[in-house]
Amino acid sequence: MTFEQIIQEVKKGNIAPIYFLQGEEPYFIDKIAETVQKHALTDEERGFNELIMYGKDTDTTYLVHIARQFPMGAQRQLIIVREAQNLSKIETLEHYFKTPQPSTVLVISYKNKKLDKRTKTYTTLSKQSQAIFFDSKKLYDNQMEQWILKYIKECGLTIENRATALLIDYLGTELEKVVQTIEKLKVALGPEKKQITVDDVMKNVGIHKEFNPFELQTAITNKDILKANRIVKALASSKDFALPVITAIFFNYFSKLLLYIYHTDKNNTADVAIKLNINPYFVSDYKKGYQNYKGRKVTDIISLLREYDMKSKGFGNVSTSQGDLLKELVFKILH
C-alpha cells in the first residue's frame, strides 16, 4: 500500500494489527504512526489502552507479552514503539508477527534502517496479510515540486512558482523541514492571505532579500559581475554562510543548463521543461544562461563546483575560509 492509501484506510477505521514502518524518510513514518494513534482509540480509551515505548529501553520479550494482553474496556489496545531501530533482538518478534493478537494494534517505527531481507523476520512480515509493511523512501529532487504543491493545496493555499523553487533549493528533500516551513508560512500569512510569495519564503526561512545564493545564481547567469561581487562580499561576511549550500544550488542549475545546451528543440518550452524536469516558468533562466555560457565552459564550471564543494568540507584545503573559497569560485566561473 502507498502512504496515501494507508492514511486513507486508517481514517476510515480499517486499522491493521501490525504497522511496521521502516526506511529513510521519517516524515512518512511519523505521519502514519500519528494517524493510527489518532484513530485507533477514543480519548476515553487511551488511559488504559495506549502504551508508548522506545526501542532502546524496550525488551522484546516483554513487548510480546504486553502485545498478547487484552484491552481494558475497549475494542483494542495500541502499542507504539518509537525509535525501534534501537531494539535489541528484534528477531524475537518473529513469532508474534506470525500470529498477532487481533485486539492489539502494534506500530513499530523503524527509522533510517531496513530489515535484512534474508532474515526470517522480514519473510514473516512480508507474507503476513494482517500487517502493513511500509518502506518509507525519500523523495527525489524531481518529485519535490508536485509534493509541495499538493501539500500547500491541502492547506488551502497557493504558491508562486519561484517561491516553490526557493523552498526546494533552500530546504532540499527533507520533508519535515519543508512541512515545518510551510506551517510557519501558513501562520505568518494570517487568515486573509492565501498565496505564498517569494518575499514570504525569504522572510520566514531567513534568506536576505538581496544577498542570497539565488540572487547570486541570477547574477552569474546574467554575467552581472558587479552584482555578483557585491553579493559574494555580503555572503562571505555572513555568519549563516555555508558554501556547500551554494555549490549544491549552482550544481543543480549548471547541470540542467548543460542538458539545455545540447537539447535539439530549444524553442519548445514544454519539451524543454520535461527534459530538464523543471516548471516551464523557469525555462527562461536557462535560455539566458545559454546566451552567456557555452558547453565547454559549463562542463568546466561543474568540475569547479565539485572541487570547491570538497574544499569547503576540508578535502585538499587546510586554512582557506569558506568566504575566500566562494570568492575564488565565483571569479573562476565569471572569467
Side-chain angles (χ1 to χ4, degrees), residues 32-45:
I32 292 172
E34 175 189 310
T35 306
V36 173
Q37 184 177 17
K38 182 178 179 180
H39 290 85
L41 300 172
T42 66
D43 290 339
E44 293 76 20
E45 294 170 339

Side-chain angles (χ1 to χ4, degrees), residues 60-227:
T60 47
T61 302
Y62 175 71
L63 173 58
V64 171
H65 172 71
I66 294 297
R68 292 287 184 200
Q69 293 182 355
F70 292 96
M72 295 181 64
Q75 180 183 356
R76 57 173 74 98
Q77 68 167 338
L78 172 66
I79 302 172
I80 298 177
V81 185
R82 294 172 178 165
E83 300 173 13
Q85 66 275 11
N86 296 321
L87 277 171
S88 61
K89 299 181 179 179
I90 195 169
E91 63 276 6
T92 306
L93 299 177
E94 181 202 339
H95 296 294
Y96 181 81
F97 292 154
K98 283 182 179 178
T99 56
Q101 172 66 272
S103 58
T104 293
V105 179
L106 176 61
V107 181
I108 298 179
S109 296
Y110 199 75
K111 293 181 181 178
N112 300 309
K113 286 182 73 176
K114 294 183 181 182
L115 287 179
D116 189 334
K117 291 184 178 181
R118 298 168 296 181
T119 63
K120 290 182 179 179
T121 307
Y122 175 89
T123 303
T124 300
L125 262 178
S126 60
K127 291 181 178 180
Q128 175 54 268
S129 60
Q130 298 183 74
I132 300 298
F133 192 13
F134 179 71
D135 190 1
S136 183
K137 298 177 181 177
K138 280 192 172 294
L139 295 184
Y140 293 110
D141 290 342
N142 60 8
Q143 297 174 301
M144 284 302 296
E145 181 180 1
Q146 288 304 314
W147 192 89
I148 288 174
L149 291 175
K150 181 175 179 290
Y151 188 88
I152 286 175
K153 184 178 180 181
E154 290 172 354
C155 292
L157 302 172
T158 60
I159 185 169
E160 292 179 347
N161 288 326
R162 193 165 289 279
T164 305
L166 197 60
L167 282 175
I168 295 169
D169 286 340
Y170 203 77
L171 299 175
T173 58
E174 288 189 52
L175 295 187
E176 192 59 43
K177 280 187 179 180
V178 173
V179 168
Q180 288 175 358
T181 301
I182 293 172
E183 292 298 327
K184 183 180 177 182
L185 285 165
K186 186 178 177 181
V187 173
L189 289 176
E192 302 298 325
K193 191 175 179 183
K194 296 298 181 183
Q195 184 177 50
I196 300 170
T197 66
V198 170
D199 286 347
D200 293 325
V201 173
M202 286 187 173
K203 182 179 178 181
N204 287 279
V205 176
I207 305 172
H208 193 285
K209 189 171 182 179
E210 184 179 3
F211 304 127
N212 63 71
F214 309 101
E215 288 299 315
L216 178 56
Q217 178 186 295
T218 300
I220 290 173
T221 300
N222 296 328
K223 278 210 167 178
D224 187 337
I225 296 175
L226 183 62
K227 183 177 180 181

Side-chain angles (χ1 to χ4, degrees), residues 225-243:
I225 296 175
L226 183 62
K227 183 177 180 181
N229 287 336
R230 189 167 67 247
I231 296 172
V232 165
K233 184 178 179 181
L235 287 174
S237 61
S238 170
K239 293 180 181 179
D240 299 324
F241 163 68
L243 186 55

